Amino acid sequence: MNDRAGTPATADDLVDLDALLAAYHERVPDVSIPEQKVVFGTSGHRGSSLDTAFNDTHIAAITQAIVEYRAEQGTTGPLFIGRDTHALSAPAEQTALQVLAANGVRVLADAEDGYVPTPALSHAIIKYNREEHGDTADGIVITPSHNPPRDGGFKYNPPHGGPADSDATSWIADRANTIIAGGNADVRRQDETSAEGYDYLGSYVSDLEDIIDIDAIKRAGVKIGADPLGGASLPYWERIRDHYGLDLTVVNPEVDPTWAFMTLDWDGKIRMDPSSPSAMASVLARKDDFDVLTGNDADSDRHGIVTPDGGLMNPNHYLAVAIEYLYAHRPDWRDDAAIGKTLVSSSIIDRVAESLGRRLWEVPVGFKWFVPGLIDGSVAFGGEESAGASFLRKDGTAWTTDKDGIILALLASEITAMTGKTPSQLYAELTERFGAPVYQRVDAAATKEQKARLSKLDGDAITADTLAGDPITAKLSKAPGNDAAVGGVKVVTDKAWFAARPSGTEDVYKIYAESFVGQEHLEQVQREAKEIVDAALGA
């Protein structure tokens, strides 16, 4: 933890916007250098222009690759496009629009040239395709999510509306790098753009009553505070307040691409993570002013829930509360609709699912795994430990197939209105029934070779029989829900578990661990997890 974590940013912490934007246009990547290649992670291609990792050349090539990919897939409808409030998002959108126009793609951009949250774009794709226009739409979201102000991000959402799967992103990345290696000669581009206007804001906000019990919130007079953290949700919270007449205050209406108003995250960087106590320090200072206080990241796909009695909730804790509440208050959801969670999310969700008599659908890290279930209604809720989730409309149909921090934030107010208790009070009741888990993620050093081995490690390679004194009941290298490779391993006992996955950016692997015994037991699990994994890797 950095000594300045949770303290206000100073001038020395701020990115030089002029240098950042100049680098976007002036620097040309060399894809023979790994750090300058197009690489799609779980949420698109991310990087900084200052590192020659997110530049005009990259975005032009990626957009051209997307044009070719969607043509190959027979996607002939409009392409929805939107951007967040990061400084690199606007020039990247302009680059993309020039390439899309030259390729004759019909593009739908925000009618007011405003910011577009990730969930609003996913919602738009699903809505268009449900209306059966005779073609199918897809989209591009320009955002690095909660990443620091110096970063940019570029993500493709195919016709299902959610994050593209690895087959699509691998194809797009490979083609983009080939294009860059050829000096972008294959890019078609023109100065004039031809995007049509689309009312993302109006469409999304007017449909919210189909997924959230807005009337219950209004009747109960829940006093709501919403902090967009300088992100794309700002106009959405303002419209939600005005459209529905809620007692809702936008705590901080400021948009500043340097994010000078933020408090520093755990590592001393500016990062708009609504699940981080350090990044949310200024929001937490107002916890007693509202019944429910919430935060969103820059593209609004993450949520942070603050209550007067509990402060900032751990994302795992809130997911468990949301799941128990929703499956009891959505009677039109399918009786066999499963509860979706990533395998590094808390096991208290497993216990809640069992108590509800619902099937638990455990998948690898990445929201893309929830997409098929959310589309057909077989999974009514999908959530990640990193404060990302979405769920179905009241009638059991798809709302978004990407994470939606706005509806998760509004749900906290619905829960308070309907139960008379805050989500943190309800979580305390869950721990009385199921135990109080202790959860933490730590990093362990690993070489690139060791990380590569870990990503392909088989559970059978784990030779240990016990973990922190208890018999090991499962050694997983594939997710129980869909049998997909987890890119690491998960080891389980009746009282604890750990999962180990390689970092995509640093020479470390991540150890996620949880204990239902206590902090000392968790630390023992973490120590033994490192020993077990290192032994399997031959470290």
Side-chain angles (χ1 to χ4, degrees):
M1 181 77 73
N2 188 281
D3 290 341
R4 296 183 57 222
T7 65
T10 66
D12 291 340
D13 299 311
L14 307 184
V15 67
D16 183 334
L17 293 180
D18 290 339
L20 185 73
L21 296 173
Y24 175 81
H25 294 287
E26 296 169 0
R27 296 194 180 190
V28 178
D30 178 352
V31 290
S32 68
I33 301 172
E35 293 78 13
Q36 297 183 18
K37 293 180 68 172
V38 172
V39 179
F40 272 73
T42 56
S43 296
H45 173 74
R46 295 182 183 180
S48 178
S49 61
L50 298 171
D51 302 326
T52 322
F54 190 94
N55 305 81
D56 177 81
T57 301
H58 290 110
I59 304 310
I62 295 171
T63 306
Q64 183 66 43
I66 288 172
V67 168
E68 296 172 12
Y69 177 81
R70 71 193 304 268
E72 186 176 274
Q73 298 296 309
T75 304
T76 59
L79 183 143
F80 289 88
I81 193 168
R83 70 179 189 275
D84 77 354
T85 55
H86 277 79
L88 289 173
S89 295
E93 182 179 51
Q94 187 63 21
T95 300
L97 289 173
Q98 291 175 349
V99 174
L100 293 166
N103 281 275
V105 176
R106 181 188 174 203
V107 177
L108 296 177
D110 187 72
E112 303 299 324
D113 193 28
Y115 308 116
V116 179
T118 287
L121 189 133
S122 178
H123 175 269
I125 295 171
I126 291 172
K127 190 171 185 177
Y128 180 92
N129 290 336
R130 184 181 285 137
E131 292 168 351
E132 298 183 357
H133 293 268
D135 54 21
T136 54
D138 54 0
I140 290 172
V141 192
I142 305 172
T143 173
S145 191
H146 62 293
N147 276 29
R150 72 194 302 271
D151 286 357
F154 202 82
K155 185 171 73 170
Y156 175 62
N157 285 31
H160 57 54
D165 63 24
S166 54
D167 289 341
T169 56
S170 294
W171 193 100
I172 292 166
D174 288 347
R175 175 59 181 145
N177 286 319
T178 299
I179 291 171
I180 294 171
N184 272 24
D186 289 345
V187 173
R188 299 181 64 186
R189 185 170 181 174
Q190 64 186 43
D191 291 337
E192 299 81 15
T193 59
S194 56
E196 303 169 32
Y198 180 81
D199 185 11
Y200 287 101
L201 177 58
S203 175
Y204 180 93
V205 172
S206 64
D207 283 355
L208 277 171
E209 58 189 356
D210 295 334
I211 190 168
I212 297 292
D213 192 341
I214 302 286
D215 288 340
I217 298 172
K218 190 172 181 178
R219 283 195 308 269
V222 179
K223 189 175 183 181
I224 306 167
D227 193 331
L229 297 184
S233 66
L234 171 59
Y236 286 70
W237 285 115
E238 292 174 335
R239 181 69 66 85
I240 290 166
R241 176 196 62 206
D242 298 340
H243 183 80
Y244 293 108
L246 297 179
D247 183 358
L248 191 159
T249 300
V250 177
V251 173
N252 173 21
E254 187 173 356
V255 173
D256 171 6
T258 69
W259 272 276
F261 54 81
M262 286 293 294
T263 53
L264 302 180
D265 204 1
W266 63 272
D267 57 357
K269 294 182 179 180
I270 295 175
R271 187 180 289 108
M272 295 65 71
D273 182 355
S275 67
S276 165
S278 298
M280 287 278 282
S282 62
V283 184
L284 280 163
R286 298 197 60 183
K287 71 181 180 65
D288 296 325
D289 296 343
F290 303 95
D291 298 321
V292 176
L293 177 57
T294 65
N296 293 118
D297 62 341
D299 71 321
S300 319
D301 71 343
R302 293 188 179 207
H303 60 272
I305 308 299
V306 178
T307 67
D309 58 287
L312 179 64
M313 291 189 71
N314 179 296
N316 277 301
H317 301 177
Y318 180 59
L319 292 184
V321 170
I323 288 165
E324 180 169 76
Y325 173 83
L326 283 167
Y327 281 79
H329 290 81
R330 296 296 187 267
D332 292 331
W333 284 1
R334 282 171 41 178
D335 291 339
D336 63 345
I339 294 168
K341 60 163 267 194
T342 53
L343 86 167
V344 296
S345 299
S346 174
S347 287
I348 199 167
I349 295 171
D350 305 40
R351 301 182 183 195
V352 169
E354 184 178 4
S355 74
L356 292 169
R358 291 282 185 165
R359 178 170 62 93
L360 184 74
W361 200 59
E362 189 172 9
V363 298
V365 173
F367 202 81
K368 64 184 179 182
W369 300 108
F370 298 125
V371 170
L374 290 170
I375 284 289
D376 66 16
S378 63
V379 175
F381 182 100
E384 300 182 316
E385 94 296 339
S386 56
S390 190
F391 51 91
L392 301 181
R393 295 170 183 253
K394 296 175 189 174
D395 66 2
T397 59
W399 169 257
T400 61
T401 45
D402 217 324
K403 295 173 286 191
D404 190 337
I406 296 174
I407 61 166
L408 267 296
L410 276 172
L411 180 65
S413 293
E414 179 188 330
I415 290 170
T416 301
M418 292 292 289
T419 67
K421 299 176 182 178
T422 66
S424 49
Q425 289 170 331
L426 292 172
Y427 179 73
E429 293 180 3
L430 289 182
T431 63
E432 291 175 5
R433 293 162 55 194
F434 304 122
V438 185
Y439 179 102
Q440 189 179 27
R441 197 201 92 186
V442 296
D443 294 339
T447 65
K448 288 181 173 58
E449 293 75 17
Q450 289 168 339
K451 289 198 301 177
R453 287 204 297 275
L454 176 57
S455 69
K456 299 175 182 177
L457 194 64
D458 191 284
D460 293 338
I462 302 296
T463 58
D465 297 319
T466 62
L467 174 66
D470 297 304
I472 291 173
T473 58
K475 304 172 184 178
L476 306 172
S477 52
K478 293 186 177 181
N482 58 0
D483 204 37
V486 303
V489 292
K490 181 176 182 178
V491 175
V492 184
T493 74
D494 288 338
K495 298 177 182 176
W497 60 266
F498 80 80
R501 299 179 64 249
S503 168
T505 56
E506 301 174 88
D507 288 335
V508 299
Y509 65 86
K510 305 171 185 178
I511 299 174
Y512 305 81
E514 182 173 55
S515 166
F516 276 81
V517 177
Q519 184 63 37
E520 287 188 16
H521 188 252
L522 175 68
E523 292 170 4
Q524 185 180 355
V525 169
Q526 291 170 328
R527 288 194 300 271
E528 293 188 19
K530 185 177 186 304
E531 294 170 2
I532 289 169
V533 173
D534 285 349
L537 296 178

